[in-house]
Amino acid sequence: MKRNQNFLLMISCAVVMFNACKSKSTANGAAGQDTTSSAEQKLPDSASFSADVQGKKVGLFTLKNKNNTTVLITNYGGRLVSLVVPDKSGKPTDVILGYDSLKGYQKPKEPYFGAIIGRYGNRIAKGKFSLDGKAYQLDINDGVNTLHGGFNGFYGKVFSAKQLNAQELELTYVSKDGEDGYPGNLSVTVLYSLSDDNALKIEYKATTDKKTIVNLTNHAYFNLNGAGSKTILDNLVQINANAFLPVDTTLIPTGKLQPVKGTPFDFTKFKTIGADIDTTDEQLKNGKGYDHNFVVNKHDANTPVAIVNSAATGIIMEVYTDEPGLQFYSGNFLTGATNDGKGGKAYGHRSAFCMETQHFPDAPNQPAFASTVLKPGETYHTITVYKFSSK
Ligand code: BGC
């Protein structure tokens, strides 16, 4: 399963596309936001992440470029802890949700903030799949299905970390044959690199010694108004997808590809996340908002699959990938019940969104979907870029 390796980004066209929509952004984006918070916020410190877990050292690593764009990553779950980019006035703004210490990430039912997700990102129906006639049973950790690898997915594993230089961190993890129910010893490498033009690239590689399935992604929760701001409903989104995957009430794709045209899922032109989210619609009801995989029109890694911007901060995020699917999740299950987010913030309902690049959910059981099977001798290789600018 060789994935696209040629990754020359054509960023300028995306910026032009954004400019064309900027006037709309001002018109739609102003209501109900709280942007006071994040800039003054103190960043998590490394002492609060220093621990021995699973017999390995956990720490906090920093990537920084010449613009002072800063990315904090812990090797516990390979998690992005902070991503600080300049807003339109140059003010450093942390745009992802997370915790000030390792303890936050170890809480039960923690919502996968910033985590590397594996072995299989998203859902597998009833946790079952077969390879060469052999049936495998995974953890049932989300209603009747497996979600994000199971009870002990990569989000809770300690990766080995190697800081290659000020802008690159390499994480590795070997998932043993049978771990969490998946076959094969799977060797995984995740390379985080921050470029001087404020692009955070995540490059995933994996090999196996037995036929297996794999679908890795990152579960960063973004709020371009600044993490801890009340809502993302005013963030403007464009998703370059003419179809999405409708789901059943347990969020497993039905197998159909549904055109977005004429539905609340049409983000082919910029609109706010909130514009149609409360429309009466069976799919929005199933997802309790957006929690669906979009079938991206192009996944050549040169064309953004999605662009998001905040009128309040002027921060623009472009997403590039070679993956065929984009899970757009509007933070429907965030409750804001506790003030334990970074800087004592409560992360309320729909106060962040996720753009998880991946193969389609439940692909191991849906032969019409692109395969997620990895065989010995092959290298799983996929790249996603989140690129930031402001205007
Ligand atoms: C899923 C949501 C789930 C969330 C957990 C997303 O990837 O699509 O259904 O609730 O992860 O944080």
Side-chain angles (χ1 to χ4, degrees):
M1 187 177 38
K2 203 83 173 159
R3 305 217 173 150
N4 184 6
Q5 302 186 14
N6 179 7
F7 209 75
L8 288 172
L9 299 182
M10 290 165 60
I11 301 307
S12 53
C13 66
V15 173
V16 170
M17 284 164 74
F18 166 69
N19 286 344
C21 300
K22 183 67 180 165
S23 52
K24 194 172 172 196
S25 104
T26 316
N28 289 346
Q33 56 215 0
D34 159 24
T35 57
T36 53
S37 52
S38 57
E40 300 84 26
Q41 206 170 293
K42 204 175 136 288
L43 285 181
D45 60 72
S46 54
S48 311
F49 282 82
S50 179
D52 284 319
V53 181
Q54 297 156 21
K56 293 189 199 157
K57 289 251 173 288
V58 171
L60 188 66
F61 300 83
T62 304
L63 308 182
K64 201 173 211 170
N65 69 10
K66 63 178 186 194
N67 311 314
N68 279 335
T69 289
T70 305
V71 184
L72 300 183
I73 301 162
T74 174
N75 56 324
Y76 178 77
R79 293 170 183 252
L80 289 170
V81 172
S82 284
L83 207 169
V84 183
V85 296
D87 77 355
K88 62 186 170 191
S89 63
K91 194 161 80 175
T93 306
D94 191 352
V95 292
I96 63 167
L97 276 54
Y99 301 103
D100 281 321
S101 74
L102 176 63
K103 284 200 183 70
Y105 292 95
Q106 293 174 310
K107 280 184 321 192
K109 302 221 164 134
E110 185 285 324
Y112 313 98
F113 282 160
I116 297 297
I117 302 292
R119 291 191 188 192
Y120 198 98
N122 218 314
R123 292 179 172 80
I124 296 182
K126 313 236 164 40
K128 290 183 194 305
F129 70 98
S130 297
L131 286 173
D132 296 335
K134 185 166 173 359
Y136 294 90
Q137 178 66 57
L138 307 171
D139 296 343
I140 302 301
N141 65 330
D142 185 67
V144 295
N145 303 317
T146 301
L147 175 65
H148 296 333
F151 287 119
N152 297 298
F154 287 4
Y155 53 85
K157 309 284 193 201
V158 181
F159 287 68
S160 300
K162 192 167 162 195
Q163 180 120 27
L164 303 180
N165 53 56
Q167 291 175 224
E168 288 183 303
L169 178 73
E170 184 185 82
L171 299 176
T172 52
Y173 178 70
V174 180
S175 174
K176 291 266 157 53
D177 186 15
E179 188 175 277
D180 307 323
Y182 300 85
N185 288 297
L186 187 78
S187 300
V188 178
T189 303
V190 178
L191 179 67
Y192 281 109
S193 10
L194 175 67
S195 69
D196 279 332
D197 61 351
N198 293 352
L200 177 67
K201 179 164 98 171
I202 313 177
E203 180 167 9
Y204 308 83
K205 284 186 186 170
T207 54
T208 184
D209 59 2
K210 215 186 247 181
K211 202 182 223 187
T212 192
I213 56 168
V214 61
N215 193 25
L216 305 179
T217 191
N218 178 278
H219 210 302
Y221 283 70
F222 298 96
N223 185 330
L224 301 189
N225 297 336
S229 300
K230 286 199 172 56
T231 187
I232 41 87
L233 295 179
D234 57 359
N235 284 186
L236 276 153
V237 172
Q238 184 192 39
I239 302 178
N240 290 318
N242 293 338
F244 75 104
L245 302 179
V247 290
D248 67 15
T249 54
T250 75
L251 296 181
I252 294 291
T254 60
K256 291 198 191 102
L257 268 59
Q258 187 172 324
V260 296
K261 206 168 168 46
T263 78
F265 292 79
D266 190 351
F267 284 95
T268 53
K269 298 198 179 68
F270 276 96
K271 71 176 178 188
T272 60
I273 296 174
D276 297 325
I277 201 168
D278 290 323
T279 312
T280 307
D281 176 272
E282 193 197 351
Q283 283 303 314
L284 286 174
K285 194 171 158 212
N286 288 350
K288 302 195 168 43
Y290 296 106
D291 195 354
H292 295 77
N293 222 264
F294 284 72
V295 181
V296 299
N297 296 337
K298 275 192 183 172
H299 46 105
D300 57 9
N302 295 322
T303 316
V305 292
I307 307 175
V308 189
N309 67 71
S310 156
T313 59
I315 295 173
I316 306 160
M317 179 175 88
E318 296 155 39
V319 185
Y320 296 82
T321 190
D322 49 19
E323 288 287 344
L326 178 75
Q327 183 82 9
F328 173 47
Y329 168 57
S330 50
N332 313 308
F333 296 112
L334 294 174
T335 63
T338 47
N339 293 332
D340 59 357
K342 284 180 283 187
K345 296 286 177 191
Y347 295 138
H349 185 54
R350 297 178 180 162
S351 68
F353 65 86
C354 302
M355 295 266 177
E356 306 156 45
T357 56
Q358 55 196 238
H359 269 47
F360 297 165
D362 199 34
N365 297 309
Q366 308 225 14
F369 291 173
S371 171
T372 51
V373 172
L374 181 72
K375 299 181 193 139
E378 294 179 334
T379 300
Y380 171 94
H381 184 201
T382 175
I383 296 175
T384 290
V385 171
Y386 297 100
K387 181 173 190 306
F388 296 88
S389 54
S390 60
K391 204 165 155 53

